[in-house]
Amino acid sequence: MRQTADEPLGLEGVWLKNRAAEAFVCTKPFLRLAIFRQRGSQSPFRLSQTDPFWGMRTWFLEPTQIDKSPLPALQPAEFRWRGSQTLRLTAAPAPKAQLQLIWEVTLDPKQPILKVRHGIKNLARKPRRLAAWAILVFPHQGVGLAPWPTHPK
């Protein structure tokens, strides 16, 4: 089931829902996984209207790091449905960084399992070497998430 209403903290985005879980992917002011929770429970992610350090976002470093790392994660995104439980999100290009974030987010049809595929598109004319990862932001009393399956499919 999909839905675009009921946006937390006035953020724009889209919900993915099944009987076991729900996820809210924020598209504006910028691309974030804002909520992922089992039905009837709280999301462990931190949300904020005063700073950009919340939810899950894509980050990167280059061998010679400069001040452009946060720029792709501070861009708004558009989304398209790819089936009933998968979103493809494309962030606006970050002109100074010459990078663009592309996500694919899939909620399992029945189980509380969410898959997020992070992509970074190089818009520069020459190749670049990047180390990319996802940053998850929790309140101080938050919990950790393990990035491996707990059961085989």
Side-chain angles (χ1 to χ4, degrees):
M1 179 171 131
R2 53 192 187 190
Q3 170 183 341
T4 56
D6 189 27
E7 295 163 337
L9 295 180
L11 301 168
E12 289 184 41
V14 62
W15 283 97
L16 291 156
K17 295 183 177 188
N18 66 24
R19 290 180 184 241
E22 53 193 10
F24 182 79
V25 182
C26 178
T27 57
K28 290 177 182 67
F30 29 71
L31 181 58
R32 293 281 188 281
L33 176 61
I35 293 172
F36 180 54
R37 62 188 176 207
Q38 291 187 344
R39 289 288 187 127
S41 69
Q42 294 290 331
S43 176
F45 296 137
R46 176 181 183 265
L47 287 178
S48 175
Q49 291 180 303
T50 59
D51 64 64
F53 308 109
W54 50 271
M56 181 176 71
R57 66 188 183 275
T58 304
W59 203 259
F60 77 96
L61 289 174
E62 294 187 83
T64 306
Q65 189 55 34
I66 50 179
D67 61 353
K68 296 177 183 164
S69 238
L71 300 179
L74 295 175
Q75 306 302 314
E78 299 294 327
F79 72 90
R80 283 192 333 224
W81 287 101
R82 299 188 125 193
S84 64
Q85 293 298 110
T86 299
L87 291 171
R88 180 172 174 89
L89 298 112
T90 304
K96 286 185 180 179
Q98 295 188 346
L99 296 171
Q100 183 177 37
L101 301 183
I102 300 168
W103 281 16
E104 189 167 286
V105 182
T106 303
L107 180 62
D108 185 274
K110 296 180 182 174
Q111 300 180 57
I113 297 172
L114 186 71
K115 293 180 183 177
V116 180
R117 182 181 172 272
H118 298 258
I120 298 178
K121 183 177 182 180
N122 180 12
L123 303 173
R125 292 180 183 226
K126 62 181 185 174
R128 295 166 75 176
R129 199 170 102 197
L130 304 175
W133 67 92
I135 293 179
L136 300 133
V137 182
F138 301 103
H140 292 293
Q141 71 276 14
V143 298
L145 300 177
W148 52 83
T150 57
H151 57 281
K153 278 204 167 194

